[in-house]
Structure formats: C-alpha cells, structure tokens
Amino acid sequence: MDLSSTRILVSNDDGIHAPGLKIMEKIARSLSKDVWVVAPETEQSASGHSLTLTVPLRVRKASARKFAVNGTPTDCVLLAVNHIMRDFRPDLVLSGVNAGGNLGEDVTYSGTVAAAMEAALLGIPAIALSQVRKNGSPVRWSTAEHHGADIVRRLTGQGWPENVLMNANFPDIPHDNIKGVRATRQ
C-alpha cells in the first residue's frame, strides 16, 4: 500500500481530547496528508464492540476533517465510513494510541480494538495501536510516537487477509531501548 496517497481514518476509545489520539494523528500525518479523525466525544474505554442504540448520535465538527461523536468507537467508524466520508471511504483505519496495552483477553473489552474490528468488517484494513504501561505508571507516549509510523509502514507493506485487523502494542520502555519487533498470534 502506498501510504503517501492513502486516505487514513483515525479513531480511538479514549476520546477526542486524549493524548494518544494526538500521537496517532502525528503518526498518520507522517504517512499521508489525507487524514481524517472521528473519535468519541468522551472516554469510551472498555466499551468493546458496542453500538449506541437508545440515544440519538450527534456529530460535532471540531475542525476540518476532525469530528467528535457522542457514541462508541464502533459508532465513530460506522458514522465516518457511511456518513462523514461516504463519498471517499478511507483506505486505512488507525485506532489509538490507547493508554494501556490491549493484550490477551483485554482485546475483547477494548474500544480501541473494536474500532479497528469494525473497519475490518467493512473491508478496510485496520491497525489498533496501544502503549503498554505498568501498574498505573505514566504512559510512555514517546515509545509509540517514535515507532508507530514504522510499524504501520511494515504492516501495510506486507498486507494481510481481508476482515483481519492488526493489533500493535508498544512495550513500557524508553523508545531507544526497543531492540526489534515480534509478531505473535492472538
């Protein structure tokens, strides 16, 4: 995938004002000039793959190509693809950077992973990115920020089957202590 001409949708579960979303926007903008953001108005951590059914969804335009939704991460991706970006769907969805890891059973609860899952179900390649932190320690955002674009490039360069999402977790260590990448299965 040639990322320079790729339309990227960025979302998350930590909300439109989350520090990890700002990092994800930086990562996406380092890859493409065509970046859109559609994220929850408020934190939706552990919302899983839920939809909002009992209240009307509202979309607030925060700026050009940046929108906040009063719903879940799944709602955000659905509204982005089927409404906000309906005439020019995204080529790639990046979700995160989540404040905390999404490993093991955590992925079943994760709104960050759910946003990527919804994109994959819609036939759009998707990657969830999370920054692991230990026992409530401060989040080491620089690790994800420093290595995020390279991980996205490497994954999109290899490709993967349709309806499959990728889930990347950055360890809770300084970015210059990273020795490599390990691919595993869920």
Side-chain angles (χ1 to χ4, degrees):
M1 177 182 290
D2 175 19
L3 291 173
S4 64
S5 61
T6 298
R7 174 166 284 188
I8 298 174
L9 169 61
V10 172
S11 195
N12 73 352
D13 72 353
D14 291 329
I16 196 78
H17 300 294
L21 186 68
K22 289 176 179 52
I23 301 295
M24 186 62 90
E25 286 182 74
K26 284 182 186 178
I27 291 168
R29 291 185 202 296
S30 76
L31 301 168
S32 173
K33 296 202 183 318
D34 194 0
V35 175
W36 294 68
V37 177
V38 181
E41 187 74 59
T42 60
E43 184 174 345
Q44 296 291 316
S45 293
S47 61
H49 198 197
S50 63
L51 293 169
T52 301
L53 300 175
T54 58
V55 296
L57 288 172
R58 291 182 304 279
V59 177
R60 178 179 63 82
K61 186 172 186 174
S63 62
R65 297 185 186 183
K66 187 170 187 174
F67 300 84
V69 175
N70 69 320
T72 68
T74 302
D75 294 330
C76 292
V77 172
L78 282 169
L79 282 169
V81 172
N82 295 318
H83 177 66
I84 297 167
M85 302 172 72
R86 70 178 167 264
D87 294 331
F88 300 100
R89 289 172 48 123
D91 303 303
L92 176 67
V93 173
L94 300 177
S95 183
V97 174
N98 190 65
N102 279 306
L103 303 157
E105 66 188 28
D106 291 345
V107 301
T108 63
Y109 301 105
S110 171
T112 299
V113 174
M117 183 185 304
E118 191 59 34
L121 291 171
L122 293 169
I124 303 166
I127 305 170
L129 289 92
S130 300
Q131 178 58 60
V132 174
R133 67 177 173 183
K134 293 179 185 161
N135 303 326
S137 63
V139 180
R140 238 182 256 271
W141 294 115
S142 66
T143 304
E145 184 174 5
H146 187 82
H147 294 284
D150 182 55
I151 292 296
V152 172
R153 277 189 209 95
R154 290 170 79 165
L155 287 170
T156 57
Q158 293 192 6
W160 58 87
E162 193 170 316
N163 296 326
V164 171
L165 68 94
M166 293 291 128
N167 180 31
N169 285 271
F170 299 95
D172 185 22
I173 61 175
H175 67 80
D176 52 354
N177 288 0
I178 301 277
K179 303 265 189 270
V181 176
R182 182 178 300 161
T184 63
R185 296 179 58 131
Q186 177 60 33

